[in-house]
Amino acid sequence: MLEKVLRFFTTLIFAILGGALMQLASPLLTEFLSTEILKMDFGLFRLTLASLVCILVGAVLGGAFGFVTTPLFTAT
């Protein structure tokens, strides 16, 4: 049971870190893609579609990485 709780929180931490790191990389995506839809501002926290996609992709990749690597951290 403790391993499942640790796996959940480790996955959550890696997902947050992945989303934060990809948010920093989102200006690079908007420079390479010149589509106006990706640069459109939602008005919510000054997010654009490109930055929202980057955050979601980073969170999914970070969460997957955390889920896979958690047994290495919690091995008994």
Side-chain angles (χ1 to χ4, degrees):
M1 180 67 178
L2 180 62
E3 289 181 17
K4 289 183 181 181
V5 172
L6 286 173
R7 185 173 223 166
F8 171 75
F9 282 113
T10 306
T11 303
L12 182 66
I13 289 170
F14 272 93
I16 291 170
L17 287 174
L21 288 175
M22 285 299 286
Q23 183 183 12
L24 295 175
S26 67
L28 294 174
L29 179 64
T30 57
E31 286 185 20
F32 290 118
L33 298 174
S34 63
T35 308
E36 287 299 319
I37 287 181
L38 291 176
K39 294 179 181 180
M40 187 173 59
D41 190 15
F42 286 130
L44 180 68
F45 303 114
R46 294 177 42 187
L47 285 176
T48 60
L49 184 61
S51 63
L52 185 63
V53 168
C54 281
I55 292 169
L56 291 176
V57 168
V60 168
L61 291 176
F65 180 75
F67 187 79
V68 170
T69 60
T70 299
L72 298 175
F73 301 133
T74 60
T76 56

Coordinates of all heavy atoms in Angstrom, one line a residue:
M1 N 0.8 -1.2 0.0 CA 0.0 0.0 0.0 C 0.9 1.3 0.0 O 0.6 2.2 -0.7 CB -0.9 -0.1 1.2 CG -1.8 1.1 1.3 SD -3.0 1.1 0.0 CE -4.0 2.5 0.3
L2 N 1.9 1.2 0.8 CA 2.8 2.4 0.8 C 3.5 2.6 -0.5 O 3.7 3.8 -0.9 CB 3.9 2.2 1.9 CG 4.9 3.3 2.1 CD1 4.1 4.6 2.5 CD2 5.9 2.9 3.2
E3 N 3.8 1.5 -1.2 CA 4.4 1.7 -2.5 C 3.5 2.4 -3.5 O 4.0 3.2 -4.3 CB 4.9 0.3 -3.0 CG 6.0 -0.3 -2.3 CD 6.4 -1.6 -2.9 OE1 6.0 -2.0 -4.0 OE2 7.2 -2.3 -2.2
K4 N 2.2 2.1 -3.4 CA 1.3 2.7 -4.3 C 1.1 4.2 -4.0 O 1.0 5.0 -4.9 CB -0.1 2.1 -4.2 CG -0.2 0.7 -4.8 CD -1.5 0.1 -4.7 CE -1.6 -1.3 -5.3 NZ -2.9 -1.9 -5.2
V5 N 1.2 4.6 -2.8 CA 1.1 6.0 -2.4 C 2.3 6.7 -2.8 O 2.3 7.8 -3.4 CB 0.9 6.1 -0.9 CG1 1.0 7.6 -0.4 CG2 -0.5 5.5 -0.4
L6 N 3.5 6.1 -2.6 CA 4.7 6.7 -3.1 C 4.8 6.8 -4.6 O 5.3 7.8 -5.1 CB 5.9 5.9 -2.6 CG 6.3 6.0 -1.1 CD1 7.4 5.1 -0.7 CD2 6.7 7.4 -0.7
R7 N 4.3 5.8 -5.3 CA 4.3 5.9 -6.7 C 3.4 7.0 -7.2 O 3.7 7.7 -8.2 CB 3.8 4.5 -7.3 CG 3.9 4.5 -8.8 CD 3.6 3.1 -9.3 NE 4.6 2.8 -10.3 CZ 4.8 1.7 -10.9 NH1 4.2 0.6 -10.4 NH2 5.7 1.5 -11.8
F8 N 2.2 7.2 -6.6 CA 1.3 8.2 -7.0 C 1.9 9.6 -6.8 O 1.9 10.4 -7.7 CB 0.0 8.2 -6.1 CG -0.9 9.3 -6.3 CD1 -1.6 9.5 -7.5 CD2 -1.0 10.3 -5.4 CE1 -2.4 10.6 -7.7 CE2 -1.8 11.4 -5.5 CZ -2.5 11.6 -6.7
F9 N 2.5 9.9 -5.6 CA 3.1 11.2 -5.4 C 4.4 11.4 -6.2 O 4.6 12.5 -6.6 CB 3.4 11.4 -3.9 CG 2.2 11.7 -3.1 CD1 1.7 10.8 -2.2 CD2 1.5 12.8 -3.3 CE1 0.5 11.0 -1.4 CE2 0.3 13.1 -2.6 CZ -0.1 12.2 -1.6
T10 N 5.2 10.4 -6.4 CA 6.3 10.6 -7.3 C 5.9 10.9 -8.7 O 6.4 11.8 -9.4 CB 7.2 9.3 -7.3 OG1 7.5 9.0 -5.9 CG2 8.5 9.5 -8.1
T11 N 4.9 10.2 -9.2 CA 4.3 10.5 -10.5 C 3.8 11.9 -10.6 O 4.0 12.6 -11.6 CB 3.2 9.4 -10.9 OG1 3.8 8.1 -10.8 CG2 2.7 9.6 -12.3
L12 N 3.1 12.3 -9.6 CA 2.5 13.6 -9.5 C 3.6 14.7 -9.6 O 3.5 15.7 -10.3 CB 1.6 13.8 -8.3 CG 0.9 15.1 -8.1 CD1 -0.1 15.3 -9.2 CD2 0.3 15.2 -6.8
I13 N 4.7 14.5 -8.8 CA 5.8 15.5 -8.8 C 6.5 15.5 -10.1 O 6.8 16.6 -10.7 CB 6.8 15.1 -7.7 CG1 6.1 15.4 -6.3 CG2 8.1 15.8 -7.8 CD1 6.9 14.8 -5.2
F14 N 6.7 14.4 -10.8 CA 7.3 14.4 -12.1 C 6.4 15.0 -13.1 O 6.9 15.7 -14.1 CB 7.7 13.0 -12.5 CG 9.1 12.5 -12.1 CD1 9.2 11.9 -10.9 CD2 10.2 12.8 -12.8 CE1 10.5 11.5 -10.4 CE2 11.5 12.4 -12.4 CZ 11.6 11.8 -11.2
A15 N 5.1 14.8 -13.0 CA 4.2 15.5 -14.0 C 4.2 17.0 -13.8 O 4.2 17.7 -14.8 CB 2.8 14.9 -13.7
I16 N 4.2 17.5 -12.6 CA 4.3 18.9 -12.4 C 5.6 19.5 -12.9 O 5.6 20.5 -13.6 CB 4.1 19.2 -10.9 CG1 2.7 18.9 -10.5 CG2 4.5 20.7 -10.6 CD1 2.4 18.9 -9.0
L17 N 6.7 18.8 -12.6 CA 8.0 19.2 -13.1 C 8.1 19.2 -14.7 O 8.6 20.1 -15.3 CB 9.1 18.4 -12.6 CG 9.5 18.6 -11.1 CD1 10.5 17.6 -10.6 CD2 10.0 20.0 -10.9
G18 N 7.5 18.2 -15.3 CA 7.5 18.1 -16.7 C 6.7 19.2 -17.3 O 7.1 19.8 -18.3
G19 N 5.5 19.5 -16.7 CA 4.7 20.6 -17.2 C 5.4 22.0 -17.1 O 5.3 22.8 -18.0
A20 N 6.1 22.2 -15.9 CA 6.8 23.4 -15.7 C 7.9 23.6 -16.7 O 8.2 24.7 -17.2 CB 7.3 23.5 -14.3
L21 N 8.7 22.5 -16.9 CA 9.8 22.6 -17.9 C 9.3 22.9 -19.3 O 10.0 23.6 -20.0 CB 10.7 21.4 -17.8 CG 11.5 21.2 -16.5 CD1 12.2 19.9 -16.5 CD2 12.5 22.3 -16.4
M22 N 8.3 22.2 -19.7 CA 7.8 22.4 -21.0 C 7.1 23.8 -21.2 O 7.1 24.4 -22.3 CB 6.8 21.3 -21.4 CG 7.4 20.0 -21.7 SD 8.5 20.1 -23.1 CE 7.4 20.2 -24.5
Q23 N 6.6 24.4 -20.1 CA 6.1 25.8 -20.2 C 7.2 26.7 -20.5 O 7.0 27.7 -21.2 CB 5.4 26.2 -18.9 CG 4.8 27.5 -19.0 CD 4.2 28.0 -17.7 OE1 4.4 27.4 -16.7 NE2 3.4 29.0 -17.7
L24 N 8.4 26.4 -20.0 CA 9.6 27.3 -20.3 C 10.0 27.2 -21.7 O 10.5 28.1 -22.3 CB 10.7 26.9 -19.4 CG 10.5 27.2 -17.9 CD1 11.7 26.7 -17.1 CD2 10.3 28.7 -17.7
A25 N 9.7 26.0 -22.3 CA 10.1 25.8 -23.7 C 9.0 26.2 -24.7 O 9.2 26.2 -25.9 CB 10.4 24.3 -23.9
S26 N 7.8 26.6 -24.3 CA 6.8 27.0 -25.2 C 7.1 28.2 -26.1 O 6.6 28.2 -27.2 CB 5.5 27.2 -24.4 OG 5.6 28.3 -23.6
P27 N 7.9 29.2 -25.7 CA 8.2 30.2 -26.6 C 9.0 29.7 -27.8 O 8.8 30.3 -28.9 CB 9.0 31.2 -25.8 CG 8.6 31.0 -24.4 CD 8.3 29.5 -24.3
L28 N 9.7 28.7 -27.7 CA 10.4 28.1 -28.8 C 9.5 27.5 -29.9 O 9.7 27.6 -31.1 CB 11.4 27.0 -28.4 CG 12.6 27.5 -27.5 CD1 13.4 26.3 -27.0 CD2 13.5 28.4 -28.3
L29 N 8.4 26.9 -29.4 CA 7.4 26.3 -30.3 C 6.7 27.4 -31.1 O 6.5 27.2 -32.3 CB 6.4 25.5 -29.5 CG 5.3 24.8 -30.3 CD1 5.9 23.8 -31.3 CD2 4.3 24.2 -29.4
T30 N 6.4 28.5 -30.4 CA 5.7 29.6 -31.1 C 6.6 30.3 -32.2 O 6.1 30.9 -33.1 CB 5.1 30.6 -30.2 OG1 6.2 31.1 -29.4 CG2 4.0 30.0 -29.3
E31 N 7.9 30.2 -32.0 CA 8.8 30.8 -33.0 C 8.9 29.9 -34.2 O 9.0 30.4 -35.3 CB 10.2 31.0 -32.4 CG 10.3 32.1 -31.5 CD 11.7 32.4 -31.0 OE1 12.6 31.9 -31.6 OE2 11.9 33.0 -29.9
F32 N 8.8 28.6 -34.0 CA 8.9 27.7 -35.2 C 7.6 27.5 -35.9 O 7.6 27.3 -37.1 CB 9.4 26.3 -34.7 CG 10.8 26.3 -34.3 CD1 11.2 25.9 -33.0 CD2 11.8 26.6 -35.2 CE1 12.5 25.9 -32.6 CE2 13.2 26.6 -34.8 CZ 13.5 26.2 -33.5
L33 N 6.5 27.7 -35.2 CA 5.2 27.6 -35.9 C 4.6 29.0 -36.0 O 4.4 29.7 -35.0 CB 4.3 26.7 -35.0 CG 4.7 25.2 -34.9 CD1 3.8 24.5 -33.9 CD2 4.7 24.5 -36.2
S34 N 4.3 29.4 -37.1 CA 3.8 30.7 -37.3 C 2.3 30.8 -37.5 O 1.7 31.7 -38.0 CB 4.4 31.3 -38.6 OG 4.0 30.6 -39.7
T35 N 1.6 29.7 -37.0 CA 0.1 29.7 -37.1 C -0.5 30.7 -36.1 O -0.1 30.7 -34.9 CB -0.4 28.3 -36.9 OG1 0.3 27.4 -37.7 CG2 -1.9 28.2 -37.2
E36 N -1.4 31.5 -36.5 CA -2.1 32.4 -35.6 C -2.9 31.8 -34.5 O -3.1 32.3 -33.5 CB -2.9 33.4 -36.4 CG -2.1 34.4 -37.2 CD -1.2 35.3 -36.3 OE1 -1.7 35.7 -35.3 OE2 -0.1 35.5 -36.7
I37 N -3.4 30.6 -34.8 CA -4.3 29.9 -33.8 C -3.4 29.5 -32.6 O -3.8 29.6 -31.5 CB -4.9 28.7 -34.4 CG1 -6.1 29.1 -35.3 CG2 -5.4 27.7 -33.3 CD1 -6.8 28.0 -36.0
L38 N -2.2 29.1 -32.8 CA -1.3 28.7 -31.7 C -0.9 29.9 -30.9 O -0.5 29.8 -29.7 CB 0.0 28.0 -32.2 CG -0.3 26.6 -32.8 CD1 1.0 26.1 -33.4 CD2 -0.9 25.7 -31.8
K39 N -0.9 31.1 -31.5 CA -0.4 32.3 -30.8 C -1.6 33.1 -30.1 O -1.4 34.1 -29.5 CB 0.3 33.3 -31.7 CG 1.6 32.7 -32.2 CD 2.3 33.6 -33.1 CE 3.6 33.0 -33.6 NZ 4.3 33.9 -34.5
M40 N -2.8 32.6 -30.3 CA -4.0 33.2 -29.8 C -4.0 33.1 -28.3 O -3.8 32.1 -27.7 CB -5.3 32.5 -30.4 CG -6.6 33.2 -30.1 SD -7.9 32.5 -30.9 CE -7.9 30.8 -30.3
D41 N -4.3 34.3 -27.6 CA -4.3 34.3 -26.2 C -5.6 34.0 -25.6 O -6.7 34.5 -26.1 CB -3.9 35.8 -25.8 CG -3.6 35.9 -24.3 OD1 -3.4 34.8 -23.6 OD2 -3.5 37.0 -23.8
F42 N -5.7 33.1 -24.6 CA -6.9 32.7 -24.0 C -7.4 33.7 -23.0 O -8.5 33.7 -22.6 CB -6.8 31.3 -23.4 CG -6.8 30.2 -24.3 CD1 -5.8 29.2 -24.2 CD2 -7.7 30.1 -25.3 CE1 -5.8 28.2 -25.1 CE2 -7.7 29.0 -26.2 CZ -6.7 28.1 -26.1
G43 N -6.5 34.5 -22.5 CA -6.9 35.5 -21.4 C -6.7 34.9 -20.0 O -6.8 35.6 -19.1
L44 N -6.6 33.6 -19.9 CA -6.5 32.9 -18.6 C -5.0 32.7 -18.3 O -4.4 31.9 -19.0 CB -7.3 31.6 -18.6 CG -7.2 30.8 -17.4 CD1 -8.0 31.5 -16.3 CD2 -7.8 29.4 -17.6
F45 N -4.5 33.5 -17.4 CA -3.1 33.4 -17.0 C -2.2 33.7 -18.2 O -1.0 33.2 -18.3 CB -2.7 32.0 -16.4 CG -3.5 31.7 -15.2 CD1 -4.4 30.6 -15.3 CD2 -3.4 32.4 -14.1 CE1 -5.2 30.3 -14.1 CE2 -4.2 32.1 -13.0 CZ -5.0 31.0 -13.0
R46 N -2.6 34.4 -19.2 CA -1.9 34.7 -20.4 C -1.4 33.5 -21.1 O -0.2 33.4 -21.6 CB -0.8 35.7 -20.1 CG -1.3 37.0 -19.6 CD -0.2 38.0 -19.2 NE 0.9 37.9 -20.2 CZ 2.0 38.6 -20.0 NH1 2.2 39.3 -18.9 NH2 3.0 38.5 -20.9
L47 N -2.2 32.4 -21.2 CA -1.8 31.2 -21.9 C -2.2 31.3 -23.3 O -3.2 31.8 -23.7 CB -2.5 30.0 -21.2 CG -2.0 29.5 -19.9 CD1 -2.8 28.4 -19.4 CD2 -0.5 29.1 -20.0
T48 N -1.3 30.8 -24.2 CA -1.7 30.6 -25.6 C -1.9 29.1 -25.8 O -1.6 28.3 -24.9 CB -0.5 31.0 -26.5 OG1 0.7 30.3 -26.2 CG2 -0.2 32.5 -26.3
L49 N -2.4 28.8 -27.0 CA -2.7 27.4 -27.3 C -1.4 26.6 -27.3 O -1.4 25.4 -26.8 CB -3.5 27.2 -28.6 CG -3.9 25.8 -29.0 CD1 -4.9 25.3 -27.9 CD2 -4.6 25.8 -30.3
A50 N -0.4 27.2 -27.8 CA 0.9 26.5 -27.9 C 1.5 26.2 -26.5 O 2.0 25.1 -26.2 CB 1.9 27.3 -28.7
S51 N 1.4 27.1 -25.6 CA 1.9 26.9 -24.2 C 1.0 25.9 -23.5 O 1.6 25.1 -22.7 CB 2.0 28.2 -23.5 OG 0.7 28.8 -23.3
L52 N -0.3 25.9 -23.7 CA -1.1 24.9 -23.1 C -0.8 23.5 -23.6 O -0.7 22.6 -22.8 CB -2.6 25.3 -23.4 CG -3.6 24.4 -22.7 CD1 -3.5 24.6 -21.2 CD2 -5.0 24.8 -23.2
V53 N -0.6 23.4 -24.9 CA -0.2 22.1 -25.4 C 1.1 21.6 -24.9 O 1.3 20.4 -24.5 CB -0.2 22.1 -27.0 CG1 0.5 20.9 -27.5 CG2 -1.6 22.3 -27.5
C54 N 2.1 22.5 -24.8 CA 3.4 22.2 -24.2 C 3.3 21.7 -22.8 O 3.9 20.8 -22.3 CB 4.3 23.4 -24.3 SG 5.0 23.6 -25.9
I55 N 2.5 22.4 -22.0 CA 2.3 22.1 -20.6 C 1.7 20.7 -20.5 O 2.1 19.8 -19.7 CB 1.4 23.1 -19.8 CG1 2.2 24.4 -19.7 CG2 1.0 22.6 -18.5 CD1 1.4 25.6 -19.3
L56 N 0.6 20.4 -21.3 CA 0.0 19.1 -21.2 C 0.9 18.0 -21.6 O 0.9 16.9 -21.0 CB -1.3 19.1 -22.0 CG -2.4 20.0 -21.5 CD1 -3.6 20.0 -22.4 CD2 -2.8 19.5 -20.1
V57 N 1.6 18.2 -22.7 CA 2.6 17.2 -23.2 C 3.7 16.9 -22.2 O 4.0 15.8 -21.9 CB 3.2 17.6 -24.6 CG1 4.3 16.7 -25.0 CG2 2.1 17.5 -25.6
G58 N 4.2 18.0 -21.6 CA 5.2 17.9 -20.6 C 4.7 17.1 -19.3 O 5.4 16.3 -18.7
A59 N 3.5 17.4 -18.9 CA 2.9 16.7 -17.8 C 2.7 15.2 -18.0 O 3.0 14.4 -17.2 CB 1.6 17.4 -17.4
V60 N 2.3 14.9 -19.2 CA 2.1 13.5 -19.6 C 3.4 12.8 -19.6 O 3.6 11.7 -19.1 CB 1.3 13.3 -20.9 CG1 1.3 11.9 -21.4 CG2 -0.2 13.8 -20.7
L61 N 4.4 13.4 -20.3 CA 5.7 12.7 -20.4 C 6.4 12.6 -19.1 O 7.0 11.6 -18.7 CB 6.6 13.5 -21.4 CG 6.2 13.4 -22.9 CD1 7.1 14.3 -23.7 CD2 6.2 12.0 -23.3
G62 N 6.3 13.7 -18.3 CA 6.9 13.7 -16.9 C 6.2 12.7 -16.0 O 6.9 11.9 -15.3
G63 N 4.9 12.6 -16.1 CA 4.2 11.6 -15.3 C 4.5 10.2 -15.7 O 4.7 9.3 -14.9
A64 N 4.6 9.9 -17.0 CA 5.0 8.6 -17.5 C 6.4 8.2 -17.0 O 6.7 7.1 -16.6 CB 4.9 8.5 -19.0
F65 N 7.3 9.2 -17.1 CA 8.7 8.9 -16.7 C 8.7 8.7 -15.2 O 9.4 7.8 -14.7 CB 9.6 10.2 -17.0 CG 11.0 10.0 -16.6 CD1 11.8 9.2 -17.3 CD2 11.5 10.6 -15.5 CE1 13.2 9.0 -16.9 CE2 12.8 10.5 -15.1 CZ 13.6 9.7 -15.8
G66 N 7.9 9.4 -14.4 CA 7.9 9.2 -13.0 C 7.3 7.9 -12.6 O 7.7 7.2 -11.7
F67 N 6.2 7.5 -13.3 CA 5.6 6.2 -13.1 C 6.5 5.0 -13.4 O 6.5 4.1 -12.6 CB 4.3 6.1 -13.9 CG 3.5 4.9 -13.6 CD1 2.6 4.9 -12.5 CD2 3.5 3.8 -14.4 CE1 1.9 3.8 -12.3 CE2 2.8 2.7 -14.2 CZ 1.9 2.7 -13.1
V68 N 7.3 5.2 -14.4 CA 8.2 4.1 -14.8 C 9.4 4.0 -13.8 O 9.9 2.9 -13.5 CB 8.7 4.2 -16.3 CG1 9.8 3.3 -16.6 CG2 7.5 4.0 -17.2
T69 N 9.9 5.1 -13.4 CA 11.1 5.1 -12.6 C 10.9 5.0 -11.1 O 11.9 4.9 -10.4 CB 12.0 6.4 -12.9 OG1 11.2 7.6 -12.6 CG2 12.5 6.4 -14.3
T70 N 9.7 5.1 -10.7 CA 9.4 5.1 -9.2 C 9.9 3.8 -8.6 O 10.4 3.8 -7.5 CB 7.9 5.3 -9.0 OG1 7.5 6.6 -9.4 CG2 7.6 5.2 -7.5
P71 N 9.7 2.6 -9.2 CA 10.2 1.4 -8.6 C 11.7 1.4 -8.3 O 12.2 0.8 -7.4 CB 9.9 0.3 -9.5 CG 8.7 0.8 -10.3 CD 8.9 2.3 -10.4
L72 N 12.5 2.2 -9.1 CA 13.9 2.3 -8.8 C 14.2 3.1 -7.5 O 15.2 2.8 -6.8 CB 14.6 3.1 -10.0 CG 14.5 2.4 -11.3 CD1 15.1 3.3 -12.4 CD2 15.2 1.0 -11.3
F73 N 13.3 4.0 -7.2 CA 13.4 4.8 -6.0 C 12.9 4.1 -4.8 O 13.4 4.3 -3.6 CB 12.7 6.2 -6.1 CG 13.2 7.0 -7.2 CD1 12.2 7.6 -8.1 CD2 14.5 7.2 -7.5 CE1 12.6 8.4 -9.1 CE2 14.9 8.0 -8.5 CZ 14.0 8.6 -9.4
T74 N 11.9 3.2 -4.9 CA 11.3 2.6 -3.8 C 11.6 1.1 -3.6 O 11.0 0.4 -2.9 CB 9.8 2.7 -3.9 OG1 9.3 2.1 -5.1 CG2 9.3 4.2 -3.9
A75 N 12.7 0.7 -4.3 CA 13.1 -0.7 -4.2 C 13.5 -1.0 -2.8 O 14.2 -0.3 -2.1 CB 14.2 -1.0 -5.2
T76 N 13.0 -2.2 -2.3 CA 13.3 -2.6 -0.9 C 14.4 -3.6 -0.9 O 14.8 -4.2 -1.8 CB 12.1 -3.2 -0.2 OG1 11.6 -4.3 -1.0 CG2 11.0 -2.1 0.0

